[in-house]
Amino acid sequence: MLKFLRQPAFKDELPAGPETDGKYKSMRLQVFLGAFIGYAGFYLVRKNFSMAIPALAPLGFEKTELGIVLSMNAVAYALSKFLMGSVSDRSNARTFLPLGLILAAISMAFMIVPIRWIGAEHKLLAIVVMAVLNFLVGWFNGMGWPPCGRVMTHWFSVSERGTMMSIWNCAHNVGGALVGPMATYGAAWFGSWFYGAHTELYFLIGTFIFPAAVAVFIALLAYILLRDTPQSCGLPSIEKWRNDYPNNYSEEHEQTLSTKEIFFKYVLNNKFLWYIALANAFVYMVRYGCLDWAPTILTEKGIDLKSAGWAYFAYEFAAIPGTLICGWLSDKLFHGRRALPTMLFMALVAVFIGLYWAFSDNLTIVIIALIGIGFFIYGPVMLIGVQALDLAPKNASGTAAGLTGFFGYFFGTAILANVVIGAVAQAAGWNWTFALLLGACMMAILFMGLTYKAERK
């Protein structure tokens, strides 16, 4: 482990009293803001390449080639979230997160090299370099969730974690929402500085350089705000401070674990983590199966692309209140249990998928259905991550969440939502894809149900 990434040593604990309580409260807010802002920053330099594709076609690149480049991001992210999660469990979150964000920003900024200086004249080389860079973007983005999960488990106890994680989870909606405006205004503000009258190249600044520069600034801000653990600040553990000890708590979980312990003692042999990882694959199949294919389904049903775009927007926007409510319910109504609210929300997702299926040629009902799906699907997406944190020791949280994330992005998104649904739609039509989505809801409920009794204990 590089020295600057090593976890900071615990400081002597401050005496209990009002001053320590005040410091704890202010540090929790500061650390939470650092995790929120830092994670939002990752979404400024994650999916930018997909926005650049329409501008690359006139430069001589074909959609099939660009699709290969695009796929590298998802594959790298799935692998990194799991593998780099284990590294984050043995690292200082304060340096690990900003490092990943800066490296992702640099990789994104260098995307202008194959586009501008290699170009379609040397297409094979340009595509290979773009694919490598987009792979690196995905890989370094995988360094965002695990340190945030580590921070949240160390600074927020189990009985409040669902609520706080639901608020934090909105960071990706905030970051993702800013990418479009930044691309537009970045090109307008700075495009002429770099490319003069070559307006066809302005997008390079707005899509790649401007977001990368902002991401580097956010990384520095996150470094200022974040702290690894309360103990590294001379504060007691969150469980001791709030007198909120989960049943599986142990003092050993406060110490750094070896890679062998993390993988073989606490993660890979934990059958309940495997259950929620499988559930996550089906949740992500529904999430991206509905989201990614919505414009295609609706335009084929005769709904214009502009209206389809508004339906897409409604789906994403509904995620914010749905996530917040789901997290709050898991803490206040279900007392820190995650399986039951996840199962209930997935059942309601199935109801709205049925509505979507039955009235897919009626734009009003489709928008209502997509709002319902978006509202209810993102709660389970968030809660499965929280449950992974709950089921593992605090110093194995990144690896545990990485396992569920790998299943969600690799199997659920890349294979089931993109490849399988696309193939079934092509071969058998959209009716069968809706049937698959309903089946995925049932499978998610089944696997979450296998954790219900254990979670109650």
Side-chain angles (χ1 to χ4, degrees):
M1 180 69 65
L2 296 173
K3 186 176 181 179
F4 75 95
L5 284 177
R6 291 176 188 165
Q7 292 175 0
F10 289 0
K11 295 181 179 179
D12 293 337
E13 190 173 310
L14 296 172
E19 287 189 14
T20 299
D21 288 343
K23 180 178 179 181
Y24 215 123
K25 291 175 182 177
S26 64
M27 288 301 299
R28 289 204 328 156
L29 177 60
Q30 175 184 316
V31 168
F32 180 82
L33 288 174
F36 188 97
I37 294 168
Y39 194 61
F42 277 95
Y43 275 80
L44 299 181
V45 285
R46 183 169 175 191
K47 296 271 190 169
N48 308 51
F49 188 81
S50 60
M51 296 186 62
I53 288 178
L56 292 173
L59 298 181
F61 296 98
E62 298 177 8
K63 291 184 176 63
T64 303
E65 302 162 341
L66 299 175
I68 295 171
V69 175
L70 193 62
S71 68
M72 292 295 102
N73 188 285
V75 172
Y77 184 79
L79 292 170
S80 176
K81 193 172 181 181
F82 180 43
L83 298 176
M84 296 305 286
S86 68
V87 178
S88 78
D89 283 330
R90 295 175 289 111
S91 301
N92 183 350
R94 187 186 185 191
T95 52
F96 190 87
L97 184 147
L99 175 64
L101 182 51
I102 289 172
L103 291 174
I106 292 171
S107 301
M108 182 64 73
F110 268 88
M111 194 67 75
I112 68 170
V113 173
I115 297 172
R116 180 71 179 95
W117 286 294
I118 299 177
E121 298 82 6
H122 308 283
K123 186 178 288 188
L124 178 59
L125 177 60
I127 291 295
V128 169
V129 174
M130 277 191 267
V132 170
L133 287 170
N134 213 28
F135 183 93
L136 291 175
V137 168
W139 185 270
F140 294 132
N141 260 273
M143 296 173 66
W145 207 105
C148 289
R150 172 178 171 79
V151 163
M152 298 300 285
T153 57
H154 279 278
W155 287 92
F156 299 94
S157 62
V158 170
S159 65
E160 61 179 345
R161 199 174 293 157
T163 301
M164 298 309 298
M165 286 289 289
S166 68
I167 299 171
W168 168 80
N169 197 65
C170 295
H172 81 265
N173 298 103
V174 173
L178 291 174
V179 173
M182 287 181 71
T184 301
Y185 288 105
W189 292 340
F190 307 111
S192 61
W193 291 12
F194 291 87
Y195 297 113
H198 296 283
T199 56
E200 75 280 4
L201 298 177
Y202 284 12
F203 79 96
L204 295 175
I205 302 302
T207 306
F208 299 123
I209 301 297
F210 184 46
V214 174
V216 170
F217 172 78
I218 290 174
L220 297 176
L221 184 59
Y223 177 79
I224 293 170
L225 295 172
L226 284 171
R227 295 296 184 273
D228 189 56
T229 63
Q231 294 93 323
S232 68
C233 301
L235 299 170
S237 70
I238 186 63
E239 290 81 9
K240 180 179 179 180
W241 184 65
R242 297 190 80 240
N243 192 27
D244 185 10
Y245 293 90
N247 291 336
N248 64 345
Y249 179 79
S250 169
E251 289 286 346
E252 295 179 0
H253 297 169
E254 303 291 347
Q255 306 302 319
T256 302
L257 302 173
S258 68
T259 302
K260 183 178 179 180
E261 285 179 304
I262 290 171
F263 275 103
F264 295 104
K265 187 176 180 180
Y266 294 112
V267 176
L268 296 183
N269 70 341
N270 188 333
K271 64 180 180 181
F272 298 108
L273 276 176
W274 286 101
Y275 292 153
I276 65 172
L278 290 166
N280 205 36
F282 290 108
V283 169
Y284 269 71
M285 178 184 179
V286 176
R287 175 188 177 184
Y288 285 108
C290 291
L291 182 66
D292 290 349
W293 293 103
T296 306
I297 294 173
L298 298 181
T299 52
E300 289 189 9
K301 293 287 185 177
I303 295 172
D304 65 275
L305 190 59
K306 183 179 179 180
S307 299
W310 278 110
Y312 188 98
F313 171 81
Y315 179 97
E316 283 282 18
F317 187 80
I320 297 176
T323 302
L324 295 174
I325 291 171
C326 187
W328 181 85
L329 287 174
S330 76
D331 281 343
K332 303 302 180 183
L333 184 62
F334 298 100
H335 308 293
R337 295 193 295 273
R338 320 299 178 189
L340 188 55
T342 299
M343 294 162 67
L344 291 174
F345 269 53
M346 288 307 297
L348 291 169
V349 168
V351 171
F352 281 100
I353 288 175
L355 186 67
Y356 184 12
W357 185 2
F359 298 96
S360 56
D361 56 351
N362 185 316
L363 180 61
T364 301
I365 297 180
V366 163
I367 290 178
I368 292 171
L370 285 173
I371 289 173
I373 296 169
F375 185 94
F376 289 109
I377 193 64
Y378 279 90
V381 168
M382 178 271 301
L383 278 188
I384 287 176
V386 177
Q387 193 177 16
L389 301 179
D390 293 344
L391 286 171
K394 290 195 286 185
N395 275 339
S397 59
T399 309
L403 177 67
T404 62
F406 175 77
F407 270 71
Y409 280 97
F410 188 82
F411 294 108
T413 305
I415 295 178
L416 294 175
N418 294 344
V419 177
V420 172
I421 286 184
V424 169
Q426 182 68 34
W430 292 114
N431 284 336
W432 280 99
T433 66
F434 281 110
L436 281 177
L437 292 172
L438 289 175
C441 290
M442 298 305 105
M443 293 301 293
I445 292 170
L446 171 65
F447 283 113
M448 289 304 298
L450 295 175
T451 72
Y452 175 69
K453 287 185 178 180
E455 193 178 42
R456 289 190 66 184
K457 294 179 182 178

